[in-house]
Each structure stands twice: as structure tokens, then as C-alpha cells.
Amino acid sequence: MDAISLIVRSIFVDNMVFAYFLGMCSFLAVSKNVKTALGLGLAVTLVLVITLPVNYLLENYVLKSGALEWLGPQFANVDLSVFSLLIFIAVIAAIVQLVEMVIERFSPALYSSLGIFLPLIAVNCAILGGSLFMQQREFANIGMASAYAFGSGIGWLLAIVGMAAIREKLEYSNVPKPLKGLGITFIVTALMAIGFMSFSGINI
Amino acid sequence: MALNSKTKAVLLGPLSKNNPILVQVLGICSALAVTSKLEPSLVMAIAVIIVTAFSNVIISLLRKSIPNRIRIIVQLVVVASLVTIVSEVLKAFSYDVNKQLSVFVGLIVTNCILMGRLEAFALGNGPWPSFLDGIGNGLGYGWILVVTGFFRELLGSGELMGYQVVPQAFYDAGYENNGLMMLAPMAVLIVACIIWVHRSKNKDLQEETN
Amino acid sequence: MNRESNGYTIIYAAVMVIIVALGLSFTHQALLDKQIANENIDKMQQLLRSLNITAGADEAETRYSELVTNAYLITDEGEKIEGTEGTTPEDPAFSTELGDPTAKGLPVYEVSIDGKNVYIIPMNGAGLWGAIWGYLAVEDDGSTIYGADFGHAGETPGLGAEIAERSFGNQFEGKEIFKNGNFASIAVVKPGQVDTRRDYVDGISGGTITSQGVDKMLLNSVGKYENFLTKLNRN
């Protein structure tokens, strides 16, 4: 199945964090303990799964060169791709706010655990990165785009939870003074990324 | 305009003591993936400097008129428009580099430095200090990219800006390019080394916990 | 005026959207010609690279017009389509993309270089993440490869993306597309392995799926030119 292979690939092979370093800011800031890391990871996955299909539809029916043809043949040559960046980021910001309101209304418990992360997510590179990669890779249909969104989100979640687990253990290590905190986190990220590269040959 | 000591601090602080990457931990996201060569790193650095400077100025000029409720969206729109312009200009005048940077030009939008500086500085200061703050933070970010790109290209392919710098005699004597340097994780490792050196020199920046 | 009122917010947003839309459209229009020119030069550079010539952006156009003597579209049967000749970017051969459903034929570029007649054919296919493409320069026996160049939209840096490096393209030089008189194309194998049925080159280690994509592309895209190449081969 193409979709399953795409999911596996985007989790392990082209992991958002380890292959492209997207979403590093929140990755570094929120990976101090496993529980908050899990919360942020879930929020990222949720927002990715919602925004990416929406942006996919916009890209293919509004923005792409010739995408407006369904309005009539006179629109066949309209190319709005110059606005794609603007539209993508606006959609993401709007959806993040919407998700925030919906969660707050229907699940206060979830809101209290995820809510604080949601405003952060609008400017999380992994989310916009997902949409831009979607545009570049020209997925065949909306199902594939959603599968990619899901895989990337889970990949990001896996990365940040793994990182948080390592950092919790790192508390007890004797790290050279100048490397404490940020420095050692970078090194651990690099080593994890090299580890993830061993997945690169897999083919499903 | 002469620089008094305060504006000087605004401009020069981000280069070291208040560096966006090394100290504020902002904006690592997009750019590390483009540092496998010096040239794209340099172009990326320049693009970020331009966008930080001008988005800071624009938001600073608008700061008294922006409705608070749509503040974030206004900031994003300003930044996204500037980035689109930069990307269009790159496509027209530096096509090769634009191809190498691919989606990462667009990702400048979500570079945390931008939103971070807009929120923390431009909303509360006039256009001129904001401009300097933008340039300073862009530079502070840029020099790290350039240093990373320098080492990766030198060690990874023995070239700088596409010109061979490691002499053939070295290869004849058994020297080999380190292919590992071309892979993405090495960018992070080099930044870690920069942090190491930087914090050994600036002891006050060292953290207490891991 | 009240900054937080609904009316103000809506007007503010509307004015901003109009200004931004006008600004971006203007920039786009102003730079469009230059961007198209760049794309054309980029394509010429790729064509030249398949002839083992690395030309800078400034000299690509002159080298291209020096070397490429003719370009035209051919039918699936390998016949030249009348009225499609011409080498400039506006002519059908240069502006036709392989795989475009509305295309009238398959583009071929004729080149004379070092006293040899060489034919360049474009290829396209899919890698791990998106489109991959390339140009294959074939000598006038229709079989011996003069050179090859590959490009990609977004393969993994350091792995699949290596197909765009000259070290990968250079391997194709001198390989034969026809084996024992039959069309066989070129195989891309895992480094160290051999293919006894076809001429082969080493793939990219760590870039398995991209390498397989190149292999498939060589079979499919070059396969479309089978009749054309067979004719050259028989002559």
C-alpha cells in the first residue's frame, strides 16, 4: 500500500526533525520532560493532520497554475502560486486558533494539557514545512497528503518524546560545563539523527 | 545617524552575548538543512537579515495601529509577503541557489527569530532601533550559518564557494573528503561545537542543569 | 478611533490584504520574464551537462546555440514531425515537457560535438519524494551513451540527491543501450552488484528508492524512444 509506505517513510526516513531540522525551536524548548513533550507532539500531529489536507485542496483547486480551471476555461491560465506562502501561513494560523477554541469548548481537560502549546504551533516550522513539502512533492490525492501529514506528525512526536526521555536521564551525567543544557542537547540530536539515518535504506 | 551606546548594544548584542541561536535558542529550525555548502548558507543568511530588518521596521511603524486581536496574523502576513518577495527576487537573480534552498526560503516565515523579535522588540520600539535590532539579529544568526557552511563544505567536499581549496597533493597523499560532513546531522554537531567554544569564553552563559 | 472595535479590525485586515496582494502581484509580474529566462538557461545547462560540458549561466546560451544544431519532435514510431524544427526556447522541442498529455510528440535535440553527431533525449520519472528527470546523450549509432545528467525536485540531501552530481552521471559514458541487437536500456544496480542482461551503473548507497526510480526512468522514458533509437542503430 502506497499510503502505508508513505507513512513509514515520513516517520523514519524523512523524519521532520532528524532529516530536515524542522520544528527545532519548540523541540529544544519543550523536550525537558516526557509528559509535556508528549502533549506538544500530539498537538503538532493534530494540527498537521488538519492543516495539510486543507492546504492541499487550496493548492490544487485555487493556487496552482491552471488550478482554477473548474471555474471555467477562461481561468485556465491563472497562476496564483505567488500567494501560496501567504495563504498557507494564514490557514495554519486560523486553524490553530479554531482548534484551540474547539478544544477549549469541548474538552477542558485536553485543553489544559495541550492548550498552552497551541499558540506556539502556528509558528512551528514543522507545520508550514509539511505544507511546503506537500506543494513540492505533488501528492496524487488528498488521502496521500493526509497520510503524509499523519506520518510526519508521528515522526515529530517520536523524536521529541525520545529526546525528552534521553534528557531526563542526562540529568545524572557529568557534562562539560560549557556544553551543559543547549550544547549537549544539540549533540544528542545529532547522534539521534545519525541513528535515524540507518532507516534510510528501508523499502516497503 | 551616529550610533550612541544604546543603539550600538541593540546592533551588536545579538552577535555574541545575546545571539539568537546560541543564547536565545531561536530560529534553528529551517536553516541548518541548507548549510552543506557555503554559498547557499551565505544567501540564506542575507535573506534572513533582509527579512528580519524590514519586517521589524514595518511592524514598528504599524505598531500603534494594529488591532490587538489580529496582531499575530498581521505579523505573519507582513513576514510572509517579505519572504515571498525575497524568494521571487532569488528566482530571478540567483536561480541556482534558489533551487538548492528549495522550500527553506519559504520556511523563513516560521523562523522563530522573526516572530520572536517582532513580539519582543518591534512592537515596543521605534523604526530605527527596530531596524538595527533586525540587522543585528539577522547577522548574529547569519554568521553561525556561514561558519557551519564553511566547515561543512571545506571538510565535506574540499571546496569553498564551489572552488577547490584542498590541493591535489593532499589527496595524492591519502587525504579524503569526509562524506559524513555532507549529511544533515553534522550541521547540528558543528553548531554544538560553536556553542561549546562560545560558552567556554562567556562563562556567564553556562547553564546549571543539563 | 477605537483600535479594538470589530469595524476597525475588519477594515484594517481588508486594507492590508489589498496592499499585500497588489504588492506581490506587481513583484511577480515585474520579475516574471527574468524568471522564465533563468528556467530556460537552467534547462540549457542541463542539456550541456549531458554532453559533459559544465557551463556557467552567462555562457550557457552561446554554448547551447553553438552545439545544438537542430531540435524537433518525433512520433512514437520514431518519425520526425514536420514543422517542429527549431532550437530556440519558443520552438516546440524546447518547450515540450515529456509526459505532458497535450504534447504533440517526443522532443529530440541534435548536437554536433567533436566531429560526432549526438542525440539528446529527455527523461522523466519519480524518485522517493517527487519528480526526477534527466537528459541522455546518445551517439549516432543509437546505442552508445555519450553522457547523461540527472536532476530531482526534492530527494533526500546526501543520499538520493546525489544523482544530480556529475560523479553519478559520468558513469553512463560509453554504456550501450542495445544489447545483442535488442533494446535493453541501462540498469542502475546496488553498488557492488552486477547485471548480466544489461549494461549497468552503480546506484547511490542509501538512496535505494531514488536509484530504482532512475532505473525505471531509464527503462520507461528511453523506451518511448525505442523506435527512434532502433532506426539509428540499423542505419
Side-chain angles (χ1 to χ4, degrees):
Chain A
M1 269 287 281
D2 277 358
I4 292 175
S5 128
L6 182 65
I7 291 177
V8 172
R9 247 160 42 198
S10 45
I11 295 177
F12 294 108
V13 185
D14 277 64
N15 187 291
M16 279 279 182
V17 177
F18 295 136
Y20 298 106
F21 302 106
L22 297 184
M24 283 287 281
C25 307
S26 21
F27 179 79
L28 294 171
V30 191
S31 60
K32 285 212 167 110
N33 76 66
V34 174
K35 211 167 154 249
T36 42
L38 193 65
L40 183 65
L42 286 175
V44 166
T45 312
L46 182 71
V47 174
L48 258 177
V49 170
I50 300 173
T51 54
L52 218 129
V54 173
N55 280 339
Y56 181 85
L57 291 177
L58 283 171
E59 161 76 8
N60 282 289
Y61 292 101
V62 181
L63 295 170
K64 215 161 73 174
S65 165
L68 281 171
E69 213 175 340
W70 56 273
L71 276 179
Q74 69 271 34
F75 292 102
N77 287 323
V78 178
D79 183 357
L80 295 177
S81 50
V82 67
F83 297 113
S84 51
L85 197 57
L86 206 61
I87 304 251
F88 286 171
I89 194 72
V91 165
I92 289 169
I95 287 185
V96 167
Q97 293 232 306
L98 215 67
V99 168
E100 196 179 347
M101 285 189 268
V102 170
I103 295 184
E104 191 177 11
R105 173 79 180 73
F106 292 106
S107 172
L110 189 63
Y111 182 75
S112 62
S113 59
L114 282 189
I116 42 166
F117 302 120
L118 284 171
L120 266 179
I121 285 176
V123 286
N124 187 317
C125 325
I127 311 280
L128 182 66
S131 287
L132 290 175
F133 278 127
M134 173 274 293
Q135 188 183 29
Q136 189 190 51
R137 288 170 185 166
E138 297 172 350
F139 291 116
N141 54 50
I142 191 167
M144 293 296 275
S146 315
Y148 175 68
F150 179 73
S152 302
I154 296 293
W156 202 88
L157 174 102
L158 196 72
I160 193 170
V161 171
M163 186 72 207
I166 292 176
R167 282 183 85 172
E168 281 186 358
K169 295 277 175 279
L170 220 55
E171 287 292 317
Y172 311 106
S173 313
N174 188 12
V175 178
K177 269 217 141 154
L179 275 179
K180 274 193 176 217
L182 192 60
I184 195 71
T185 314
F186 266 82
I187 291 178
V188 171
T189 313
L191 293 178
M192 283 176 83
I194 294 173
F196 264 67
M197 288 187 71
S198 56
F199 290 116
S200 65
I202 57 171
N203 187 3
I204 296 169
Chain B
M1 196 180 289
L3 294 175
N4 60 32
S5 62
K6 188 172 163 257
T7 48
K8 215 171 177 177
V10 167
L11 181 64
L12 299 178
L15 291 184
S16 169
K17 287 278 178 185
N18 200 16
N19 188 284
I21 291 189
L22 302 181
V23 184
Q24 305 175 52
V25 203
L26 291 176
I28 302 123
C29 315
S30 55
L32 286 180
V34 304
T35 51
S36 63
K37 292 255 161 67
L38 187 55
E39 196 185 358
S41 323
L42 211 57
V43 173
M44 187 73 175
I46 294 169
V48 170
I49 293 172
I50 290 172
V51 178
T52 44
F54 285 98
S55 63
N56 258 4
V57 171
I58 293 174
I59 292 297
S60 165
L61 287 171
L62 295 176
R63 71 184 190 280
K64 297 223 170 72
S65 73
I66 300 174
N68 201 34
R69 265 185 296 173
I70 55 166
R71 193 182 77 233
I72 301 274
I73 299 260
V74 172
Q75 290 169 0
L76 282 175
V77 166
V78 168
V79 171
S81 320
L82 281 170
V83 171
T84 309
I85 291 173
V86 166
S87 129
E88 291 284 317
V89 170
L90 273 181
K91 249 190 247 165
F93 295 102
S94 186
Y95 189 78
D96 276 352
V97 179
N98 187 60
K99 256 198 328 193
Q100 291 175 47
L101 293 176
S102 72
V103 299
F104 294 99
V105 179
L107 283 171
I108 298 176
V109 176
T110 48
N111 193 320
C112 323
I113 292 182
L114 285 162
M115 295 300 284
R117 293 326 291 171
L118 293 181
E119 283 280 304
F121 199 91
L123 278 176
N125 288 282
W128 176 244
S130 298
F131 180 72
L132 291 178
D133 181 74
I135 296 263
N137 277 284
L139 278 175
Y141 174 81
W143 78 256
I144 297 203
L145 280 201
V146 171
V147 169
T148 314
F150 174 82
F151 282 112
R152 283 182 77 188
E153 187 171 4
L154 182 65
L155 299 176
S157 41
E159 298 173 343
L160 283 178
M161 303 294 283
Y163 296 103
Q164 192 71 34
V165 288
V166 176
Q168 191 57 37
F170 276 47
Y171 293 104
D172 294 341
Y175 174 84
E176 283 209 35
N177 289 329
N178 185 350
L180 195 60
M181 278 293 165
M182 299 307 286
L183 302 177
M186 283 318 178
V188 183
L189 214 59
I190 291 176
V191 175
C193 294
I194 298 177
I195 292 176
W196 194 350
V197 173
H198 186 251
R199 294 202 174 171
S200 330
K201 293 218 152 123
N202 300 283
K203 294 220 164 24
D204 50 321
L205 293 174
Q206 292 175 8
E207 293 171 53
E208 284 308 310
T209 57
N210 284 323
Chain C
M1 190 163 177
N2 180 9
R3 258 214 277 171
E4 303 306 325
S5 76
N6 281 339
Y8 181 80
T9 307
I10 290 167
I11 292 170
Y12 196 91
V15 170
M16 186 179 70
V17 164
I18 291 167
I19 291 175
V20 164
L22 286 177
L24 287 187
S25 312
F26 176 75
T27 323
H28 184 65
Q29 285 305 327
L31 296 173
L32 195 60
D33 286 347
K34 192 100 175 115
Q35 291 175 358
I36 292 172
N38 273 330
E39 273 167 36
N40 289 337
I41 286 175
D42 186 59
K43 189 164 177 179
M44 289 175 187
Q45 283 179 309
Q46 290 180 37
L47 283 162
L48 289 171
R49 272 204 302 273
S50 76
L51 299 167
N52 306 320
I53 298 168
T54 311
D58 43 340
E59 48 170 13
E61 214 160 348
T62 25
R63 293 304 297 274
Y64 172 83
S65 47
E66 268 169 34
L67 290 167
V68 179
T69 51
N70 200 358
Y72 43 81
L73 299 177
I74 59 162
T75 61
D76 288 345
E77 284 72 42
E79 300 292 344
K80 188 195 285 186
I81 299 174
E82 291 305 320
T84 58
E85 290 185 24
T87 57
T88 66
E90 289 75 32
D91 286 319
F94 198 90
S95 57
T96 299
E97 293 295 332
L98 208 61
D100 178 359
T102 60
K104 295 190 183 70
L106 306 163
V108 173
Y109 302 81
E110 261 181 41
V111 177
S112 101
I113 183 169
D114 298 339
K116 283 180 183 168
N117 281 324
V118 175
Y119 298 85
I120 305 180
I121 57 176
M123 304 176 279
N124 71 346
L128 171 65
W129 283 118
I132 55 174
W133 59 86
Y135 294 92
L136 198 65
V138 187
E139 291 184 16
D140 57 4
D141 65 356
S143 178
T144 314
I145 292 179
Y146 187 84
D149 184 61
F150 297 89
H152 63 92
E155 299 303 299
T156 319
L159 301 172
E162 297 286 303
I163 59 164
E165 295 294 323
R166 290 307 305 145
S167 53
F168 182 73
N170 285 342
Q171 294 183 78
F172 285 84
E173 207 177 322
K175 305 282 177 196
E176 300 279 344
I177 298 175
F178 284 84
K179 194 107 180 178
N180 306 324
N182 291 318
F183 175 78
S185 185
I186 311 288
V188 180
V189 299
K190 281 206 166 148
Q193 290 185 345
V194 292
D195 189 322
T196 50
R197 290 166 298 130
R198 301 191 272 171
D199 274 6
Y200 62 89
V201 297
D202 285 342
I204 306 288
S205 30
T208 313
I209 299 176
T210 311
S211 303
Q212 285 167 354
V214 175
D215 184 88
K216 214 180 270 174
M217 171 169 88
L218 283 162
L219 209 54
N220 294 342
S221 293
V222 182
K224 289 183 190 157
Y225 288 86
E226 187 180 342
N227 290 322
F228 175 75
L229 296 171
T230 310
K231 260 180 210 150
L232 286 176
N233 196 297
R234 299 270 155 80
N235 285 339

